[in-house]
Amino acid sequence: MITLKLATSLDGRIATAGGESRWITGEAARDEVHRLRAAHDAVLIGIETALADDPELTVRLAGHGGGQPARVVLDSRQRLPLDSRLVRGAGDLRTLVVATGPADPALTAAGVEVVEAPDLGEGRPDLPEVVAALRERGLARLFVEGGGQVAASFLRCGLVDRLEWFRSPMIIGGEGRPAIGALAVSALAEAPRLRRREVRELGEDLWERYERI
Ligand SMILES: NC(=O)c1ccc[n+]([C@@H]2O[C@H](COP(=O)([O-])OP(=O)(O)OC[C@H]3O[C@@H](n4cnc5c(N)ncnc54)[C@H](OP(=O)(O)O)[C@@H]3O)[C@@H](O)[C@H]2O)c1
């Protein structure tokens, strides 16, 4: 099961042009994201999000006694900094980097599992192969938290089963970073379509849940 999560402005932006994204949605929405993380085997992001936000990708909920999901970064060239929170926490929490070349010994020494995946031809790992490799490692339920390029890749490959969309009553404008990067859709018939299953208010924000048709 692959879930894509987006936390956006009303106009579908996930960050300003400069990359600022904290915080677009409010506390209630962020708590719900932590509950969703806890229901998946791994949280997955792209390297640009790791570089911009230096996230921990952990479940931080009052009273949470359950386990923590693994953290996965799609990072073809292994640019994840050794002093990032993800690498510094790799000794305690399972942390994987998906690359297109052999493992960087500095990352493995820090406790990061480097998964070498075949190159799609654009210097990036082939996503269906990545999903299969993660499943083989016991990580079947993936929670994809962006950014826009990674979201687009999962959608382009038809790999998104569920979409959790948190929408804040804020407008960032066209210079902002799009929630979903280029999809190469040239006709509406080619656009991925989803079915809305639920809508809920979370404080000032809206939470919409969609599923693949
Ligand atoms: N509001 C939110 O919920 C939210 C969530 C996440 C991120 N953000 C914001 O989004 C921004 C980053 O998003 P972004 O779209 O620029 O980058 P991104 O999706 O986080 O990362 C893209 C990078 O991931 C690597 N990658 C490896 N395999 C890939 C694949 N199959 N498909 C796509 N990318 C792949 C590529 O770098 P290599 O070629 O070097 O591997 C690519 O440049 C930041 O400003 C962050 O703050 C906001």
Side-chain angles (χ1 to χ4, degrees):
M1 186 186 81
I2 301 183
T3 307
L4 172 63
K5 168 239 139 181
L6 302 169
T8 76
S9 59
L10 276 186
D11 54 335
R13 303 282 147 179
I14 53 169
T16 62
E20 185 188 352
S21 68
R22 286 179 164 157
W23 298 105
I24 291 177
T25 49
E27 213 176 311
R30 298 205 300 273
D31 277 356
E32 198 48 56
V33 169
H34 285 269
R35 276 188 277 278
L36 288 166
R37 281 181 184 168
H40 289 78
D41 300 320
V43 178
L44 181 150
I45 58 169
I47 181 63
E48 296 300 340
T49 296
L51 295 174
D53 298 348
D54 193 17
E56 281 181 277
L57 305 179
T58 50
V59 176
R60 297 185 296 280
L61 282 174
H64 174 71
Q68 290 287 342
R71 295 97 49 88
V72 180
V73 185
L74 296 186
D75 178 12
S76 321
R77 294 169 279 161
Q78 299 175 70
R79 290 184 283 148
L80 187 64
L82 293 176
D83 63 353
S84 61
R85 289 198 174 97
L86 286 166
V87 175
R88 282 191 278 125
D92 298 321
L93 297 174
R94 195 169 175 200
T95 308
L96 299 90
V97 158
V98 180
T100 48
D104 174 347
L107 280 177
T108 44
V112 175
E113 264 174 79
V114 179
V115 178
E116 189 179 342
D119 184 338
L120 190 61
E122 301 165 346
R124 287 186 179 169
D126 179 44
L127 269 194
E129 294 277 354
V130 171
V131 169
L134 294 175
R135 199 185 309 120
E136 273 169 25
R137 288 164 175 77
L139 307 175
R141 295 173 303 164
L142 301 182
F143 192 55
V144 179
E145 291 207 41
Q149 294 187 62
V150 164
S153 290
F154 273 87
L155 282 165
R156 259 200 321 264
C157 294
L159 286 168
V160 176
D161 299 307
R162 180 179 279 189
L163 176 58
E164 306 282 2
W165 195 309
F166 298 89
R167 203 187 290 268
S168 153
M170 168 197 289
I171 295 170
I172 293 181
E175 318 87 319
R177 310 255 177 120
I180 297 169
L183 283 180
V185 167
S186 53
L188 285 181
E190 295 165 8
R193 286 194 184 262
L194 302 143
R195 179 171 291 129
R196 193 171 57 234
R197 289 292 184 193
E198 211 178 326
V199 184
R200 227 193 280 172
E201 285 181 35
L202 285 176
E204 293 285 300
D205 303 322
L206 263 193
W207 174 22
E208 294 152 74
R209 167 172 288 165
Y210 295 84
E211 279 175 8
R212 180 215 291 267
I213 294 175

